[in-house]
Amino acid sequence: MSLIERVTRATVCLHLAPHGLDGVLRRAGRPVADSAFHVPILNPDASWEVALASLRGWLEQHNEKKLPLAVSLASRWCAMLMVPWSGALLDRASAQRFLHSQFAAVYGDGARAWRLAADDAPYGKPRLACGIDAALLQGVQDAAAAHGRRCLSIEPVVGPAWRSIAGSKPAAFALVEGGRLLLATSSGGRIAALHSQSCGPAWGDELDRAWRRWNLRAPQLDAIEHVALLDLSGEPQDALPARFQPVAVASAAHLMREAAWA
């Protein structure tokens, strides 16, 4: 690809969540003004099948341009795990076997039906890995292909969330979505550890309790004074502990930048 093509290329960035599809057009690395949209999804069971049907419907209605897509998925549908270093990660086939064994040990045999991927950590370092139901992943790919769209990436929303704030080098961050919260620490410009759990609409108190419970298992968290907070929940809280410092986020789709996961 030429330099001109890289600079002028436009990408539709999408975020698929149980109760909404968010999108924004990004050109030359920046969101295009007034291009953002939100499509609500009636989905009481938070089913990815229902959300995927909404994505198909949106693609069918907006089929005039075949711009490529970059897609992030709600944390609810993405199992995350820090996996220890293994030489098996150096080969694609053995890496999949190793990752499946790691996920099965934590999530059970159901994890063997997931598509797994890990980030590209330095040699010998633990890697952040993600498991997504293979049918969901294939469904997104097929929906794009059916309308002549290329999928540049499909990744858990924690990926673009981290990349959006990594430049400020926070020691830790919290990501809150509808019904889900994730806590993570960083080291050397990468996510180093994480904790994920469900939460209710009044997530402010639960966020602090989750941090303190995690602190019991990881006493080193005591040294972290400030936690960057990205709120995608749509449920603003009246007051938050001073430890958590909100970062302005226009929408989950706006978090998308370069892709780290294929």
Side-chain angles (χ1 to χ4, degrees), residues 56 137-147:
R56 292 193 190 102
L137 203 59
Q138 191 64 53
V140 174
Q141 293 169 334
D142 290 347
H147 295 283

Side-chain angles (χ1 to χ4, degrees), residues 13 15 24 26 31 72 155 157-165 175 230 232 247-258:
C13 299
H15 176 68
V24 67
R26 187 177 286 273
S72 67
E155 61 178 318
V157 69
V158 66
W162 165 243
R163 295 196 299 276
S164 73
I165 60 173
L175 175 65
L230 297 97
L232 305 178
V247 176
V249 180
S251 79
H254 282 78
L255 296 172
M256 299 293 289
R257 297 186 181 183
E258 74 285 357

